[in-house]
Amino acid sequence: MSSGRHDAPFTQPPPRLGNQYRDDPLLGSWLRRTLSLAQMRDFEPEIDELGATVGGPLYELQLADRLNEPRLTQWDAWGERIDALEVTPLWREAERLTLEYGLVATAYERRHGPLARVEQFAKVYLFHPSSDVYTCPLAMTDGAARTLLESGNTRLIERAVPRLTSRDPDRFWTSGQWMTETTGGSDVGRSQTRAVADGDRWRLHGRKWFTSAVTSQMALTLARPDGNPAGGRGLAMFYVELRDAQDRLNGIRVDRLKDKLGTRKVPTAELTLDGTLAELVGERGNGTRAIEPMLSVTRMWNSVCAIAFMRRGLALARSYASRRTAFGASLEDLPLHADTLAMLEAETWGAFLMTFLLVELNGRQECGELDEQQGALLRILTPLAKLATGKQSVAVTSEVLESFGGAGYIEDTGLPQLLRDAQVLPIWEGTTNVLSLDVLLRSGFAAGLAALMGRGSAAVRTVTDPRLVAAGRQAVAALERAALWMDAGQDPEVVQAGARRLAMTLARALQLALLCEHAQWMLDNEHDERGRAAALRYARQPVDLLHEVDPDLDRVLLKKGTFSISAG
Ligand SMILES: Cc1cc2nc3c(=O)[nH]c(=O)nc-3n(C[C@H](O)[C@H](O)[C@H](O)COP(=O)(O)OP(=O)(O)OC[C@H]3O[C@@H](n4cnc5c(N)ncnc54)[C@H](O)[C@@H]3O)c2cc1C
């Protein structure tokens, strides 16, 4: 019999974000391990304030801004081609915060010398997941500053670097990086853009197929000076300013904005260059080598953005697990749900430690502090961290969506965007396969491998806790097996086919070694057992991914057969 009373329908409390600095035990402990007490006292108020902003007002603005996208207006009402771009309100706020917190500038101000990169990327790590990938133009801006500085071109350094690294809204510039053409992004040596001499400058003619952040004031790009040979060595690196003093585009047409799976707030355009005035940055060739500093920097940003998405996904998933009940218990108290979240935590801790090792080495290199072995470690770590964390980020954010059940699939929770945005990380700045080959086939691999093994073994040697010692042994064994696999005089085809598994094994083994090292530090210095739990949980995931590689088997499986209809 009905009581006549209507029970209020159940409503699910949404996940909540708190101060993202205070809620992250790993970031805090790693900073305390790396910075001196005085540096920490100086730095912590700033990062604490940013942690509150990104988990509070910026996150709320991001949710409110969900449906806004950048807009391209190609023509004005009177038939004039204008190609005007309007970005989203969140992006405008993201620019303001970039300048306030010096998200590019910190690296160049070097308040704490070689630790400047650590401070910069601790801030970027907090900022990125609330920024709708405003970090994309920032990565290229940072990359352009470093590339120009390394080019030695004094005129361009004086003109652009103070703007790229400024905190002043009236001076600040961002930069694009225009490499990919329809002929290829990985195989960029096939680029077709021509450079025609025009006095002491050049005119560029061609199409650039993917140009993110086309709102930038400048770009570094590749083109082939007339008369140069085919291939990557025939390309040269050019400096372009997009608009003149009257705000007219410099021989550039924005053909369209791409309709993308994710990074939808980033205006990624297809451009036609039709007599674009450009300056040669360095020599008249070897552009692919000249632009390498840009790639080193953007790959580091990519790795930081990957771990930042992982941390954000987990912050939301863990909040939800404490607010949602099923089968009479909080999700966080259901053993299998807890085990799933713990696995995601362990992956995130491992990826974080590898990424911040890369960040720290970069800062030290820029201050001339690296010895030869550390330099070799930095070179191998740049592609390794990018390729491993890109994959981890997609896996973790995918699992995060599932941890919300159906709600994880619903757009106005803001959750699907996490996975969509993470999916770009393994693609741009070099795909997983291309970077695996880069690790393996570029000169210096032997020195890089030796440096990696040295760093992994040194990390494990600091460990005294018996359970960590066993996990550390597992890491070193995987590194040794990877080295043996390379030494086995494999057929070149087998080496190429196995490159991804080798790269992943090296990355995962290093992550485990660094987890053991940090766990021991946390036990000894902070009596905190969470690091050990992360290391031991990580050790139960696959670390050594090498197994027999058989290109013949691949060929059979991928063979194109003739289709035959069974009946008759
Ligand atoms: C949202 C977005 C924004 C972007 N923004 C920019 C930008 O601002 N500037 C810019 O220059 N580019 C940009 N790109 C382009 C991006 O860098 C390229 O798409 C990427 O480098 C891959 O190149 P591709 O598309 O030509 O793929 P391809 O090189 O054709 O690769 C196709 C597949 O083949 C594999 N492959 C290729 N070569 C090998 C090999 N030797 N061995 C094994 N496998 C191989 C790849 O791993 C991939 O799976 C952007 C891309 C996206 C998605």
Side-chain angles (χ1 to χ4, degrees):
M1 202 172 82
S2 163
S3 67
R5 182 175 64 85
H6 289 288
D7 287 333
F10 171 76
T11 48
Q12 173 62 47
R16 296 245 172 276
L17 283 185
N19 179 320
Q20 291 300 282
Y21 172 61
R22 294 188 186 190
D23 286 353
D24 187 339
L26 178 55
L27 175 62
S29 71
W30 193 85
L31 287 174
R32 285 189 294 280
R33 189 180 134 205
T34 308
L35 271 60
S36 70
L37 200 57
Q39 288 166 337
M40 199 61 194
R41 280 207 189 106
D42 187 35
F43 180 52
E44 198 163 36
E46 190 186 6
I47 194 157
D48 190 35
E49 185 186 88
L50 181 60
T53 302
V54 301
L58 193 62
Y59 176 56
E60 279 158 30
L61 179 58
Q62 184 184 30
L63 289 177
D65 202 38
R66 191 177 62 83
L67 294 175
N68 288 322
E69 295 201 351
R71 277 217 324 254
L72 168 66
T73 306
Q74 286 172 312
W75 303 94
D76 76 3
W78 310 104
E80 183 86 20
R81 180 96 194 210
I82 51 170
D83 288 345
L85 265 154
E86 200 186 321
V87 297
T88 57
L90 185 112
W91 262 45
R92 292 199 290 277
E93 176 61 4
E95 178 175 322
R96 193 189 67 73
L97 289 169
T98 293
L99 301 177
E100 184 180 339
Y101 288 95
L103 296 180
V104 177
T106 302
Y108 297 84
E109 292 162 356
R110 296 209 183 134
R111 203 170 62 194
H112 294 142
L115 292 171
R117 285 283 180 193
V118 167
E119 295 186 345
Q120 174 198 19
F121 281 110
K123 292 189 263 189
V124 170
Y125 168 71
L126 292 177
F127 170 79
H128 165 70
S130 295
S131 78
D132 283 345
V133 199
Y134 185 68
T135 41
C136 166
L138 297 186
M140 296 188 290
T141 301
D142 191 350
R146 173 126 149 220
T147 307
L148 288 176
L149 285 170
E150 290 193 20
S151 76
N153 184 323
T154 319
R155 204 195 82 73
L156 291 179
I157 291 172
E158 282 170 6
R159 175 149 178 82
V161 174
R163 291 178 163 88
L164 298 170
T165 60
S166 175
R167 287 181 185 245
D168 175 356
D170 296 328
R171 266 174 82 71
F172 182 57
W173 276 5
T174 59
S175 175
Q177 164 212 163
W178 305 342
M179 293 176 71
T180 307
E181 301 194 2
T182 48
T183 42
S186 316
D187 191 5
V188 81
R190 295 174 68 207
S191 296
Q192 293 176 327
T193 298
R194 287 176 55 210
V196 182
D198 181 4
D200 58 355
R201 306 243 230 143
W202 296 77
R203 298 267 173 194
L204 307 187
H205 300 268
R207 278 170 90 195
K208 294 292 174 181
W209 191 237
F210 278 89
T211 59
S212 287
V214 75
T215 41
S216 294
Q217 288 78 7
M218 63 156 281
L220 294 179
T221 189
L222 298 177
R224 195 177 312 280
D226 275 0
N228 269 22
R233 288 177 48 200
L235 294 169
M237 180 168 73
F238 289 91
Y239 166 92
V240 170
E241 288 182 14
L242 272 76
R243 291 180 187 265
D244 64 14
Q246 284 73 46
D247 208 31
R248 285 177 310 223
L249 275 166
N250 168 16
I252 298 167
R253 284 195 304 277
V254 183
D255 295 326
R256 68 167 191 145
L257 294 185
K258 300 247 191 215
D259 185 6
K260 297 173 286 178
L261 170 71
T263 68
R264 294 191 67 90
K265 312 301 175 98
V266 181
T268 303
E270 294 169 17
L271 301 181
T272 296
L273 309 184
D274 187 9
T276 305
L277 201 57
E279 262 185 72
L280 193 61
V281 179
E283 55 177 314
R284 236 192 103 129
N286 291 319
T288 47
R289 185 171 321 140
I291 209 160
E292 271 180 16
M294 167 72 91
L295 296 176
S296 301
V297 171
T298 54
R299 286 171 184 167
M300 171 166 58
W301 275 78
N302 205 89
S303 306
V304 174
C305 294
I307 58 170
F309 274 145
M310 292 160 84
R311 172 51 59 207
R312 171 58 54 88
L314 264 164
L316 291 166
R318 291 187 59 182
S319 163
Y320 192 65
S322 68
R323 296 163 80 88
R324 173 86 172 164
T325 55
F327 301 100
S330 270
L331 294 182
E332 64 185 357
D333 294 327
L334 296 172
L336 181 52
H337 196 76
D339 187 70
T340 308
L341 293 178
M343 181 262 289
L344 301 181
E345 276 289 350
E347 286 293 316
T348 304
W349 283 57
F352 177 101
L353 291 170
M354 182 188 210
T355 298
F356 268 88
L357 172 61
L358 172 69
V359 165
E360 191 189 351
L361 287 172
N362 260 287
R364 295 197 187 283
Q365 185 209 32
E366 287 167 349
C367 290
E369 281 193 359
L370 293 195
D371 63 24
E372 206 177 310
Q373 199 184 10
Q374 290 164 327
L377 179 61
L378 174 57
R379 278 191 296 282
I380 195 169
L381 206 51
T382 302
L384 264 189
K386 194 279 184 185
L387 73 90
T389 59
K391 284 296 194 200
Q392 287 174 300
S393 193
V394 174
V396 166
T397 50
S398 172
E399 196 66 60
V400 160
L401 261 55
E402 187 177 339
S403 80
F404 282 85
Y409 205 69
I410 301 307
E411 288 291 354
D412 53 4
T413 61
L415 293 164
Q417 185 183 335
L418 260 181
L419 175 60
R420 280 203 304 266
D421 287 352
Q423 182 63 65
V424 84
L425 299 173
I427 296 176
W428 63 16
E429 313 306 345
T431 63
T432 312
N433 279 358
V434 167
L435 291 180
S436 299
L437 293 171
D438 191 48
V439 167
L440 202 60
L441 301 180
R442 72 156 46 200
S443 60
F445 172 71
L449 180 63
L452 194 79
M453 293 185 69
R455 182 64 183 85
S457 307
V460 169
R461 275 199 299 278
T462 64
V463 172
T464 53
D465 176 87
R467 293 168 76 194
L468 289 175
V469 168
R473 259 194 234 115
Q474 186 186 339
V476 172
L479 286 174
E480 283 169 352
R481 216 168 84 81
L484 276 178
W485 188 82
M486 273 310 289
D487 279 351
Q490 312 264 19
D491 184 280
E493 194 187 357
V494 172
V495 171
Q496 271 207 40
R500 183 199 280 230
R501 285 193 285 263
L502 179 87
M504 281 302 209
T505 300
L506 291 174
R508 294 193 69 78
L510 182 69
Q511 289 188 7
L512 179 55
L514 297 173
L515 276 163
C516 292
E517 178 185 54
H518 192 67
Q520 187 68 54
W521 184 89
M522 285 180 83
L523 283 174
D524 294 346
N525 294 279
E526 307 201 320
H527 310 292
D528 188 335
E529 295 185 346
R530 283 176 290 187
R532 178 170 57 189
L536 298 180
R537 187 65 184 78
Y538 189 98
R540 288 178 201 154
Q541 296 293 113
V543 174
D544 182 345
L545 305 178
L546 279 168
H547 56 76
E548 197 191 339
V549 180
D550 186 350
D552 287 335
L553 213 58
D554 298 344
R555 265 191 289 275
V556 172
L557 184 58
L558 299 177
K559 195 170 149 192
K560 292 196 186 81
T562 46
F563 184 75
S564 60
I565 302 222
S566 318

